[in-house]
Structures are given as structure tokens and as C-alpha cells.
Amino acid sequence: ALGQYEQSLEHYRRGRDVMGTYDEYDRAEIQLAVIRAAIETGNLELAQQELGLLNGLELTGAQLAESVYQSARISEKQGQYETAYAQYDDLSGSRERWISARARYSRIKFSLKNGDIDVGVAIDQLERLRYAWRGDRFESQLLDDLANLYVNAGKYEEALETLRQGISYYPEVARQKRML
């Protein structure tokens, strides 16, 4: 949750031998966290391996939705865009709000990258999305992306206001970024 992905994976490597002692819910939660960290560090092989280990576990609705979302992220990073887009579209209507918001965000970013939508449409969609999910690093990233789009559109006042909001809402994230 703090974005310390390498450290998370190292702790997992040291303790994975005891995974069998956890109940299925906790194992799934740990494996999903490992998948998130592996994707963020570019270790898609580990992410796929852990995703495969979820098969056979009895997942909650939220865990199942996240596993599909993480699968879509892996597909996207492997260049399987149609598969990823279809999964993002399906997840956009998920009852799990945090998955729905992230799926919509991913779809907006890819549509912009592929030229399916222009900067103005992306800004409008991200503005709507920012009110669908509040709190955590995701909102901070969304605000950063929104500010960048405002700059690209020449809307400097809106960009600065969005950056100001991101810093005031998430000062710890701003401090971490400054240290990088």
C-alpha cells in the first residue's frame, strides 16, 4: 500500500514457505498483493505465476474482481491490448468500486494513448472519475495525470490547482516523490 514493492516482494520470498498455513482468504489477499508488487516492478513472470496460484482457491467477489483486473494489467503489459481492453470494459461496471474506478482509469489512459479519445475527452472522463473514488495513492496518481493533461491542453491554472490539491490531500506522497 505504501508503494514499497521491492521490499514487499523480498518479504514474500522469505516467508512464502508458510503460505500453506494460512486460510484461503488470507492466501488470496497475500497473493494479490504479490501480483500488484510484481506488476509494478515489471516481474510479469512472477505476477502470472501467482495469478495461477489463485486458481482453485475460493475467492470472494472482491478478490475475483481484482484477479481479473490484475490479469488485464498483465495482458496489457504483454501487448495483448484487446484482451486487456475487454477485461477493463467488463470491470468498469464492477460492484467493487475500487476495481471499477481503476478499470475505468486504465481504459481512459489506453484510449488516450491509442488516439481513440483526445485530451479534452480524457480530462472530462478523469474529472468524473476523480469523484468516483477518493483517497489513497490511486487518487494521487489520478490527480497527477489530470494535471499533466491540463498542461498539455494549455490549461495552466487548472493544472496548478489540481497539483495543489494533490499535494494538500497527499503530502506524504508528495514528499516521497520529491525524494526520488
Side-chain angles (χ1 to χ4, degrees), residues 43-99:
N43 190 342
L44 299 183
E45 184 178 325
L46 176 62
Q48 282 186 304
Q49 184 179 27
E50 293 298 319
L51 196 58
L53 293 175
L54 289 174
N55 292 334
L57 294 181
E58 192 170 320
L59 303 177
T60 65
Q63 290 170 334
L64 181 59
E66 183 178 355
S67 71
V68 173
Y69 174 69
Q70 300 305 341
S71 175
R73 291 181 67 206
I74 293 168
S75 293
E76 177 217 329
K77 293 201 180 279
Q78 292 176 329
Q80 300 167 0
Y81 300 116
E82 289 191 27
T83 300
Y85 294 159
Q87 288 174 316
Y88 289 143
D89 285 343
D90 288 345
L91 290 169
S92 291
S94 173
R95 291 173 43 200
E96 300 300 326
R97 285 185 45 241
W98 75 276
I99 291 291

Short mmCIF file of all heavy atoms in Angstrom, two decimals, residues 43-99:
data_model
loop_
_atom_site.label_atom_id
_atom_site.label_comp_id
_atom_site.label_asym_id
_atom_site.label_seq_id
_atom_site.Cartn_x
_atom_site.Cartn_y
_atom_site.Cartn_z
N ASN A 43 7.99 -7.57 -13.04
CA ASN A 43 8.22 -9.01 -12.98
C ASN A 43 6.91 -9.73 -13.36
O ASN A 43 6.21 -10.27 -12.50
CB ASN A 43 8.70 -9.42 -11.58
CG ASN A 43 9.17 -10.85 -11.53
OD1 ASN A 43 8.86 -11.67 -12.40
ND2 ASN A 43 9.93 -11.18 -10.49
N LEU A 44 6.61 -9.71 -14.65
CA LEU A 44 5.35 -10.28 -15.12
C LEU A 44 5.31 -11.80 -14.97
O LEU A 44 4.24 -12.38 -14.78
CB LEU A 44 5.10 -9.89 -16.58
CG LEU A 44 4.97 -8.38 -16.83
CD1 LEU A 44 4.67 -8.12 -18.30
CD2 LEU A 44 3.93 -7.75 -15.94
N GLU A 45 6.47 -12.43 -15.01
CA GLU A 45 6.51 -13.88 -14.83
C GLU A 45 6.02 -14.25 -13.43
O GLU A 45 5.20 -15.16 -13.27
CB GLU A 45 7.94 -14.39 -15.05
CG GLU A 45 8.07 -15.89 -14.97
CD GLU A 45 9.49 -16.35 -15.25
OE1 GLU A 45 10.18 -15.74 -16.08
OE2 GLU A 45 9.88 -17.35 -14.61
N LEU A 46 6.52 -13.55 -12.42
CA LEU A 46 6.06 -13.80 -11.05
C LEU A 46 4.57 -13.47 -10.92
O LEU A 46 3.83 -14.23 -10.28
CB LEU A 46 6.88 -12.99 -10.04
CG LEU A 46 6.43 -13.08 -8.59
CD1 LEU A 46 6.54 -14.52 -8.07
CD2 LEU A 46 7.25 -12.12 -7.72
N ALA A 47 4.14 -12.37 -11.52
CA ALA A 47 2.73 -11.99 -11.44
C ALA A 47 1.84 -13.08 -12.03
O ALA A 47 0.83 -13.45 -11.42
CB ALA A 47 2.51 -10.66 -12.16
N GLN A 48 2.21 -13.61 -13.18
CA GLN A 48 1.42 -14.68 -13.79
C GLN A 48 1.45 -15.95 -12.95
O GLN A 48 0.44 -16.64 -12.81
CB GLN A 48 1.93 -14.98 -15.19
CG GLN A 48 1.48 -13.97 -16.20
CD GLN A 48 1.87 -14.38 -17.61
OE1 GLN A 48 3.04 -14.61 -17.88
NE2 GLN A 48 0.88 -14.46 -18.47
N GLN A 49 2.61 -16.25 -12.41
CA GLN A 49 2.75 -17.44 -11.57
C GLN A 49 1.81 -17.34 -10.36
O GLN A 49 1.10 -18.28 -10.04
CB GLN A 49 4.21 -17.55 -11.13
CG GLN A 49 4.55 -18.77 -10.34
CD GLN A 49 6.04 -18.76 -9.98
OE1 GLN A 49 6.67 -17.72 -9.87
NE2 GLN A 49 6.59 -19.94 -9.81
N GLU A 50 1.82 -16.20 -9.70
CA GLU A 50 0.96 -16.00 -8.52
C GLU A 50 -0.51 -15.97 -8.92
O GLU A 50 -1.36 -16.47 -8.18
CB GLU A 50 1.34 -14.72 -7.78
CG GLU A 50 2.70 -14.77 -7.14
CD GLU A 50 2.84 -15.84 -6.07
OE1 GLU A 50 1.90 -16.03 -5.27
OE2 GLU A 50 3.90 -16.48 -6.03
N LEU A 51 -0.82 -15.41 -10.07
CA LEU A 51 -2.20 -15.40 -10.55
C LEU A 51 -2.69 -16.83 -10.75
O LEU A 51 -3.81 -17.17 -10.40
CB LEU A 51 -2.29 -14.60 -11.86
CG LEU A 51 -3.66 -14.15 -12.32
CD1 LEU A 51 -4.34 -13.27 -11.27
CD2 LEU A 51 -3.55 -13.38 -13.62
N GLY A 52 -1.81 -17.68 -11.29
CA GLY A 52 -2.17 -19.09 -11.46
C GLY A 52 -2.43 -19.79 -10.14
O GLY A 52 -3.26 -20.70 -10.06
N LEU A 53 -1.74 -19.39 -9.08
CA LEU A 53 -1.94 -20.00 -7.77
C LEU A 53 -3.29 -19.65 -7.15
O LEU A 53 -3.74 -20.32 -6.23
CB LEU A 53 -0.81 -19.60 -6.81
CG LEU A 53 0.57 -20.14 -7.15
CD1 LEU A 53 1.63 -19.56 -6.20
CD2 LEU A 53 0.59 -21.66 -7.12
N LEU A 54 -3.92 -18.61 -7.66
CA LEU A 54 -5.26 -18.26 -7.17
C LEU A 54 -6.31 -19.26 -7.65
O LEU A 54 -7.35 -19.42 -7.02
CB LEU A 54 -5.66 -16.86 -7.63
CG LEU A 54 -4.92 -15.70 -6.96
CD1 LEU A 54 -5.30 -14.39 -7.62
CD2 LEU A 54 -5.20 -15.65 -5.47
N ASN A 55 -6.03 -19.93 -8.79
CA ASN A 55 -6.96 -20.94 -9.29
C ASN A 55 -7.08 -22.04 -8.25
O ASN A 55 -6.09 -22.50 -7.70
CB ASN A 55 -6.46 -21.53 -10.61
CG ASN A 55 -6.50 -20.53 -11.74
OD1 ASN A 55 -7.29 -19.59 -11.70
ND2 ASN A 55 -5.64 -20.70 -12.72
N GLY A 56 -8.27 -22.43 -7.99
CA GLY A 56 -8.50 -23.47 -7.01
C GLY A 56 -8.81 -22.94 -5.63
O GLY A 56 -9.30 -23.68 -4.77
N LEU A 57 -8.53 -21.65 -5.38
CA LEU A 57 -8.90 -21.05 -4.11
C LEU A 57 -10.31 -20.52 -4.21
O LEU A 57 -10.75 -20.07 -5.26
CB LEU A 57 -7.95 -19.89 -3.75
CG LEU A 57 -6.50 -20.22 -3.46
CD1 LEU A 57 -5.74 -18.94 -3.11
CD2 LEU A 57 -6.37 -21.22 -2.32
N GLU A 58 -11.02 -20.56 -3.10
CA GLU A 58 -12.36 -19.98 -3.08
C GLU A 58 -12.21 -18.49 -2.82
O GLU A 58 -11.89 -18.06 -1.71
CB GLU A 58 -13.20 -20.64 -1.99
CG GLU A 58 -14.65 -20.30 -2.11
CD GLU A 58 -15.51 -21.14 -1.19
OE1 GLU A 58 -15.24 -22.35 -1.05
OE2 GLU A 58 -16.44 -20.57 -0.60
N LEU A 59 -12.42 -17.69 -3.86
CA LEU A 59 -12.22 -16.25 -3.78
C LEU A 59 -13.53 -15.53 -3.46
O LEU A 59 -14.60 -15.96 -3.91
CB LEU A 59 -11.66 -15.72 -5.10
CG LEU A 59 -10.36 -16.32 -5.60
CD1 LEU A 59 -9.99 -15.74 -6.96
CD2 LEU A 59 -9.24 -16.11 -4.61
N THR A 60 -13.40 -14.42 -2.75
CA THR A 60 -14.57 -13.56 -2.55
C THR A 60 -14.83 -12.81 -3.86
O THR A 60 -13.99 -12.82 -4.77
CB THR A 60 -14.31 -12.54 -1.43
OG1 THR A 60 -13.27 -11.66 -1.85
CG2 THR A 60 -13.95 -13.23 -0.12
N GLY A 61 -15.96 -12.14 -3.93
CA GLY A 61 -16.26 -11.35 -5.12
C GLY A 61 -15.21 -10.29 -5.38
O GLY A 61 -14.80 -10.06 -6.53
N ALA A 62 -14.75 -9.65 -4.30
CA ALA A 62 -13.72 -8.60 -4.44
C ALA A 62 -12.41 -9.20 -4.93
O ALA A 62 -11.73 -8.62 -5.78
CB ALA A 62 -13.51 -7.88 -3.12
N GLN A 63 -12.03 -10.34 -4.40
CA GLN A 63 -10.78 -10.99 -4.81
C GLN A 63 -10.86 -11.45 -6.26
O GLN A 63 -9.90 -11.30 -7.01
CB GLN A 63 -10.46 -12.17 -3.89
CG GLN A 63 -10.07 -11.76 -2.50
CD GLN A 63 -10.00 -12.92 -1.53
OE1 GLN A 63 -10.67 -13.95 -1.72
NE2 GLN A 63 -9.20 -12.78 -0.49
N LEU A 64 -12.00 -11.97 -6.66
CA LEU A 64 -12.18 -12.40 -8.04
C LEU A 64 -12.09 -11.21 -8.98
O LEU A 64 -11.40 -11.26 -10.01
CB LEU A 64 -13.51 -13.12 -8.22
CG LEU A 64 -13.80 -13.65 -9.61
CD1 LEU A 64 -12.73 -14.64 -10.06
CD2 LEU A 64 -15.17 -14.30 -9.65
N ALA A 65 -12.75 -10.12 -8.64
CA ALA A 65 -12.69 -8.91 -9.47
C ALA A 65 -11.26 -8.40 -9.57
O ALA A 65 -10.80 -8.03 -10.66
CB ALA A 65 -13.60 -7.82 -8.90
N GLU A 66 -10.53 -8.40 -8.45
CA GLU A 66 -9.15 -7.94 -8.51
C GLU A 66 -8.29 -8.87 -9.34
O GLU A 66 -7.41 -8.42 -10.08
CB GLU A 66 -8.52 -7.75 -7.14
CG GLU A 66 -7.12 -7.20 -7.28
CD GLU A 66 -6.38 -6.91 -6.01
OE1 GLU A 66 -6.95 -7.04 -4.91
OE2 GLU A 66 -5.19 -6.54 -6.12
N SER A 67 -8.52 -10.17 -9.25
CA SER A 67 -7.71 -11.10 -10.05
C SER A 67 -7.92 -10.87 -11.54
O SER A 67 -6.98 -10.91 -12.32
CB SER A 67 -8.00 -12.56 -9.67
OG SER A 67 -9.28 -12.97 -10.10
N VAL A 68 -9.15 -10.56 -11.95
CA VAL A 68 -9.42 -10.25 -13.35
C VAL A 68 -8.73 -8.93 -13.73
O VAL A 68 -8.14 -8.81 -14.80
CB VAL A 68 -10.94 -10.19 -13.63
CG1 VAL A 68 -11.22 -9.71 -15.04
CG2 VAL A 68 -11.57 -11.56 -13.39
N TYR A 69 -8.79 -7.95 -12.84
CA TYR A 69 -8.14 -6.66 -13.10
C TYR A 69 -6.63 -6.84 -13.25
O TYR A 69 -6.02 -6.30 -14.18
CB TYR A 69 -8.46 -5.67 -11.98
CG TYR A 69 -7.70 -4.37 -12.12
CD1 TYR A 69 -8.00 -3.49 -13.15
CD2 TYR A 69 -6.68 -4.04 -11.24
CE1 TYR A 69 -7.30 -2.30 -13.29
CE2 TYR A 69 -5.98 -2.86 -11.38
CZ TYR A 69 -6.29 -1.99 -12.40
OH TYR A 69 -5.58 -0.82 -12.54
N GLN A 70 -6.02 -7.60 -12.36
CA GLN A 70 -4.58 -7.81 -12.45
C GLN A 70 -4.23 -8.61 -13.71
O GLN A 70 -3.19 -8.36 -14.34
CB GLN A 70 -4.04 -8.50 -11.18
CG GLN A 70 -4.27 -7.72 -9.90
CD GLN A 70 -3.73 -6.31 -9.90
OE1 GLN A 70 -2.87 -5.94 -10.70
NE2 GLN A 70 -4.23 -5.48 -9.00
N SER A 71 -5.08 -9.54 -14.09
CA SER A 71 -4.88 -10.28 -15.33
C SER A 71 -4.91 -9.33 -16.53
O SER A 71 -4.09 -9.45 -17.46
CB SER A 71 -5.96 -11.35 -15.48
OG SER A 71 -5.86 -12.00 -16.71
N ALA A 72 -5.82 -8.37 -16.50
CA ALA A 72 -5.91 -7.38 -17.58
C ALA A 72 -4.64 -6.52 -17.63
O ALA A 72 -4.13 -6.23 -18.70
CB ALA A 72 -7.14 -6.48 -17.38
N ARG A 73 -4.12 -6.14 -16.47
CA ARG A 73 -2.89 -5.35 -16.42
C ARG A 73 -1.72 -6.14 -17.02
O ARG A 73 -0.90 -5.59 -17.76
CB ARG A 73 -2.56 -4.95 -14.98
CG ARG A 73 -3.54 -3.96 -14.41
CD ARG A 73 -3.17 -3.56 -13.00
NE ARG A 73 -1.92 -2.81 -13.01
CZ ARG A 73 -1.09 -2.73 -11.98
NH1 ARG A 73 -1.36 -3.36 -10.86
NH2 ARG A 73 0.01 -2.01 -12.06
N ILE A 74 -1.65 -7.42 -16.69
CA ILE A 74 -0.60 -8.27 -17.25
C ILE A 74 -0.76 -8.36 -18.76
O ILE A 74 0.21 -8.20 -19.50
CB ILE A 74 -0.61 -9.67 -16.60
CG1 ILE A 74 -0.22 -9.59 -15.13
CG2 ILE A 74 0.32 -10.63 -17.35
CD1 ILE A 74 -0.48 -10.86 -14.34
N SER A 75 -1.97 -8.60 -19.23
CA SER A 75 -2.23 -8.69 -20.67
C SER A 75 -1.81 -7.41 -21.37
O SER A 75 -1.19 -7.45 -22.43
CB SER A 75 -3.72 -8.95 -20.93
OG SER A 75 -4.09 -10.22 -20.46
N GLU A 76 -2.14 -6.29 -20.78
CA GLU A 76 -1.77 -5.01 -21.38
C GLU A 76 -0.25 -4.86 -21.49
O GLU A 76 0.27 -4.47 -22.52
CB GLU A 76 -2.34 -3.88 -20.54
CG GLU A 76 -1.95 -2.52 -21.05
CD GLU A 76 -1.70 -1.56 -19.93
OE1 GLU A 76 -2.33 -1.71 -18.87
OE2 GLU A 76 -0.88 -0.66 -20.12
N LYS A 77 0.45 -5.19 -20.43
CA LYS A 77 1.91 -5.06 -20.43
C LYS A 77 2.57 -6.03 -21.40
O LYS A 77 3.67 -5.78 -21.87
CB LYS A 77 2.45 -5.25 -19.02
CG LYS A 77 2.03 -4.11 -18.10
CD LYS A 77 2.92 -3.98 -16.92
CE LYS A 77 2.48 -2.85 -16.03
NZ LYS A 77 2.90 -1.55 -16.48
N GLN A 78 1.88 -7.12 -21.73
CA GLN A 78 2.40 -8.08 -22.69
C GLN A 78 1.96 -7.76 -24.12
O GLN A 78 2.24 -8.52 -25.03
CB GLN A 78 1.94 -9.50 -22.31
CG GLN A 78 2.57 -9.99 -21.03
CD GLN A 78 2.04 -11.34 -20.61
OE1 GLN A 78 0.88 -11.69 -20.88
NE2 GLN A 78 2.88 -12.10 -19.95
N GLY A 79 1.26 -6.64 -24.28
CA GLY A 79 0.84 -6.23 -25.62
C GLY A 79 -0.44 -6.88 -26.11
O GLY A 79 -0.79 -6.75 -27.27
N GLN A 80 -1.16 -7.55 -25.23
CA GLN A 80 -2.43 -8.18 -25.59
C GLN A 80 -3.55 -7.18 -25.29
O GLN A 80 -4.37 -7.37 -24.39
CB GLN A 80 -2.61 -9.48 -24.81
CG GLN A 80 -1.52 -10.49 -25.06
CD GLN A 80 -1.54 -11.63 -24.06
OE1 GLN A 80 -2.37 -11.68 -23.16
NE2 GLN A 80 -0.62 -12.56 -24.23
N TYR A 81 -3.56 -6.11 -26.08
CA TYR A 81 -4.43 -4.98 -25.78
C TYR A 81 -5.91 -5.29 -25.86
O TYR A 81 -6.68 -4.85 -25.02
CB TYR A 81 -4.09 -3.80 -26.69
CG TYR A 81 -2.66 -3.35 -26.53
CD1 TYR A 81 -1.76 -3.43 -27.58
CD2 TYR A 81 -2.21 -2.85 -25.31
CE1 TYR A 81 -0.44 -3.03 -27.41
CE2 TYR A 81 -0.90 -2.46 -25.14
CZ TYR A 81 -0.02 -2.55 -26.19
OH TYR A 81 1.28 -2.16 -26.03
N GLU A 82 -6.32 -6.06 -26.85
CA GLU A 82 -7.75 -6.35 -26.98
C GLU A 82 -8.27 -7.11 -25.78
O GLU A 82 -9.36 -6.84 -25.29
CB GLU A 82 -8.03 -7.09 -28.29
CG GLU A 82 -7.87 -6.17 -29.49
CD GLU A 82 -8.39 -6.80 -30.77
OE1 GLU A 82 -9.30 -7.65 -30.70
OE2 GLU A 82 -7.90 -6.42 -31.83
N THR A 83 -7.48 -8.07 -25.30
CA THR A 83 -7.87 -8.83 -24.12
C THR A 83 -7.97 -7.90 -22.92
O THR A 83 -8.95 -7.93 -22.17
CB THR A 83 -6.85 -9.95 -23.84
OG1 THR A 83 -6.80 -10.82 -24.96
CG2 THR A 83 -7.20 -10.73 -22.59
N ALA A 84 -6.95 -7.06 -22.74
CA ALA A 84 -6.94 -6.14 -21.61
C ALA A 84 -8.12 -5.17 -21.69
O ALA A 84 -8.81 -4.96 -20.68
CB ALA A 84 -5.62 -5.37 -21.58
N TYR A 85 -8.36 -4.59 -22.86
CA TYR A 85 -9.46 -3.64 -23.01
C TYR A 85 -10.80 -4.28 -22.69
O TYR A 85 -11.64 -3.67 -22.03
CB TYR A 85 -9.50 -3.07 -24.42
CG TYR A 85 -8.32 -2.22 -24.79
CD1 TYR A 85 -8.01 -2.01 -26.12
CD2 TYR A 85 -7.51 -1.61 -23.84
CE1 TYR A 85 -6.92 -1.23 -26.50
CE2 TYR A 85 -6.44 -0.84 -24.21
CZ TYR A 85 -6.14 -0.65 -25.52
OH TYR A 85 -5.08 0.12 -25.89
N ALA A 86 -11.01 -5.50 -23.17
CA ALA A 86 -12.27 -6.19 -22.91
C ALA A 86 -12.46 -6.41 -21.41
O ALA A 86 -13.56 -6.21 -20.88
CB ALA A 86 -12.32 -7.51 -23.67
N GLN A 87 -11.39 -6.81 -20.74
CA GLN A 87 -11.48 -7.02 -19.29
C GLN A 87 -11.72 -5.70 -18.56
O GLN A 87 -12.53 -5.65 -17.63
CB GLN A 87 -10.23 -7.71 -18.77
CG GLN A 87 -10.16 -9.18 -19.20
CD GLN A 87 -8.84 -9.83 -18.82
OE1 GLN A 87 -7.78 -9.27 -18.98
NE2 GLN A 87 -8.94 -11.05 -18.30
N TYR A 88 -11.04 -4.64 -18.96
CA TYR A 88 -11.27 -3.34 -18.34
C TYR A 88 -12.72 -2.89 -18.53
O TYR A 88 -13.35 -2.38 -17.60
CB TYR A 88 -10.33 -2.27 -18.90
CG TYR A 88 -8.90 -2.43 -18.50
CD1 TYR A 88 -7.87 -2.15 -19.39
CD2 TYR A 88 -8.54 -2.85 -17.22
CE1 TYR A 88 -6.54 -2.28 -19.03
CE2 TYR A 88 -7.20 -2.99 -16.85
CZ TYR A 88 -6.21 -2.70 -17.77
OH TYR A 88 -4.90 -2.83 -17.40
N ASP A 89 -13.23 -3.07 -19.74
CA ASP A 89 -14.61 -2.68 -20.00
C ASP A 89 -15.58 -3.47 -19.12
O ASP A 89 -16.51 -2.92 -18.55
CB ASP A 89 -14.97 -2.88 -21.48
CG ASP A 89 -14.37 -1.81 -22.37
OD1 ASP A 89 -13.96 -0.74 -21.84
OD2 ASP A 89 -14.29 -2.03 -23.59
N ASP A 90 -15.35 -4.78 -19.00
CA ASP A 90 -16.20 -5.61 -18.14
C ASP A 90 -16.13 -5.15 -16.69
O ASP A 90 -17.14 -5.09 -15.99
CB ASP A 90 -15.80 -7.08 -18.22
CG ASP A 90 -16.17 -7.73 -19.54
OD1 ASP A 90 -16.99 -7.16 -20.29
OD2 ASP A 90 -15.63 -8.82 -19.83
N LEU A 91 -14.94 -4.82 -16.23
CA LEU A 91 -14.75 -4.43 -14.84
C LEU A 91 -15.23 -3.02 -14.54
O LEU A 91 -15.42 -2.67 -13.37
CB LEU A 91 -13.27 -4.55 -14.46
CG LEU A 91 -12.73 -5.97 -14.38
CD1 LEU A 91 -11.21 -5.96 -14.27
CD2 LEU A 91 -13.36 -6.73 -13.21
N SER A 92 -15.42 -2.21 -15.55
CA SER A 92 -15.88 -0.83 -15.34
C SER A 92 -17.22 -0.78 -14.62
O SER A 92 -17.52 0.19 -13.93
CB SER A 92 -15.99 -0.08 -16.67
OG SER A 92 -14.71 0.12 -17.20
N GLY A 93 -18.00 -1.81 -14.76
CA GLY A 93 -19.30 -1.87 -14.09
C GLY A 93 -19.29 -2.74 -12.85
O GLY A 93 -20.35 -3.08 -12.32
N SER A 94 -18.11 -3.09 -12.36
CA SER A 94 -17.99 -3.96 -11.19
C SER A 94 -18.65 -3.34 -9.96
O SER A 94 -18.63 -2.13 -9.77
CB SER A 94 -16.51 -4.23 -10.89
OG SER A 94 -16.38 -4.94 -9.67
N ARG A 95 -19.20 -4.19 -9.13
CA ARG A 95 -19.78 -3.73 -7.86
C ARG A 95 -18.68 -3.33 -6.88
O ARG A 95 -18.94 -2.64 -5.91
CB ARG A 95 -20.66 -4.82 -7.27
CG ARG A 95 -21.90 -5.02 -8.12
CD ARG A 95 -22.77 -6.19 -7.71
NE ARG A 95 -22.95 -6.34 -6.29
CZ ARG A 95 -23.32 -7.46 -5.72
NH1 ARG A 95 -23.54 -8.53 -6.47
NH2 ARG A 95 -23.49 -7.54 -4.42
N GLU A 96 -17.47 -3.77 -7.14
CA GLU A 96 -16.32 -3.38 -6.31
C GLU A 96 -15.85 -2.02 -6.83
O GLU A 96 -15.20 -1.93 -7.86
CB GLU A 96 -15.21 -4.42 -6.42
CG GLU A 96 -15.60 -5.81 -5.97
CD GLU A 96 -16.05 -5.86 -4.52
OE1 GLU A 96 -15.52 -5.10 -3.69
OE2 GLU A 96 -16.95 -6.67 -4.23
N ARG A 97 -16.22 -0.96 -6.11
CA ARG A 97 -15.96 0.40 -6.58
C ARG A 97 -14.50 0.66 -6.89
O ARG A 97 -14.17 1.34 -7.86
CB ARG A 97 -16.46 1.41 -5.55
CG ARG A 97 -17.95 1.55 -5.52
CD ARG A 97 -18.45 2.64 -4.57
NE ARG A 97 -17.70 3.87 -4.68
CZ ARG A 97 -16.99 4.42 -3.69
NH1 ARG A 97 -16.96 3.86 -2.51
NH2 ARG A 97 -16.34 5.55 -3.87
N TRP A 98 -13.59 0.15 -6.07
CA TRP A 98 -12.17 0.45 -6.28
C TRP A 98 -11.65 -0.25 -7.53
O TRP A 98 -10.79 0.28 -8.22
CB TRP A 98 -11.34 0.13 -5.05
CG TRP A 98 -11.10 -1.31 -4.78
CD1 TRP A 98 -11.90 -2.19 -4.13
CD2 TRP A 98 -9.92 -2.03 -5.14
NE1 TRP A 98 -11.31 -3.42 -4.08
CE2 TRP A 98 -10.10 -3.35 -4.69
CE3 TRP A 98 -8.75 -1.69 -5.81
CZ2 TRP A 98 -9.14 -4.33 -4.89
CZ3 TRP A 98 -7.80 -2.68 -5.99
CH2 TRP A 98 -8.00 -3.98 -5.54
N ILE A 99 -12.20 -1.40 -7.86
CA ILE A 99 -11.82 -2.09 -9.10
C ILE A 99 -12.43 -1.36 -10.29
O ILE A 99 -11.76 -1.13 -11.30
CB ILE A 99 -12.27 -3.56 -9.08
CG1 ILE A 99 -11.46 -4.36 -8.06
CG2 ILE A 99 -12.17 -4.19 -10.46
CD1 ILE A 99 -10.00 -4.56 -8.41
#
